[in-house]
């Protein structure tokens, strides 16, 4: 999934996926989950950021 295997191991993994339907299904599920997670936003909504900044202004500045 993350291209961590050495190239020499790929044929063995491919063969296992071809001959083990349960393994192939699990791999396909993981790949789908990976693609789905990569497509999610990784930043807060603007309203959340605004609330955090507003809250931070309630603290004394130390000046």
């Amino acid at each position: 999934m993350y291209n961590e295997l050495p190239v020499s191991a790929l044929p063995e993994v491919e063969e296992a996926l071809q001959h083990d339907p349960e393994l192939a299904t699990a791999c396909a599920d993981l790949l789908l989950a990976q693609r789905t997670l990569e497509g999610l936003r990784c930043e807060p909504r603007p309203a959340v950021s605004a609330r955090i900044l507003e809250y931070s202004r309630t603290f004394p500045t130390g000046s």
Side-chain angles (χ1 to χ4, degrees):
M1 291 179 40
Y2 294 102
N3 298 318
E4 296 173 334
L5 289 175
V7 175
S8 61
L10 291 178
E12 185 178 344
V13 171
E14 290 171 353
E15 184 176 341
L17 289 169
Q18 289 175 359
H19 293 93
D20 186 338
E22 190 174 323
L23 179 63
T25 299
C27 184
D29 289 345
L30 290 170
L31 287 169
L32 178 61
Q34 179 188 37
R35 283 191 216 113
T36 301
L37 290 171
E38 287 174 353
L40 296 177
R41 289 183 63 170
C42 296
E43 56 190 53
R45 294 184 316 242
V48 173
S49 296
R51 278 186 247 149
I52 291 170
L53 289 172
E54 183 179 323
Y55 176 73
S56 72
R57 290 185 192 105
T58 66
F59 292 94
T61 60
S63 309

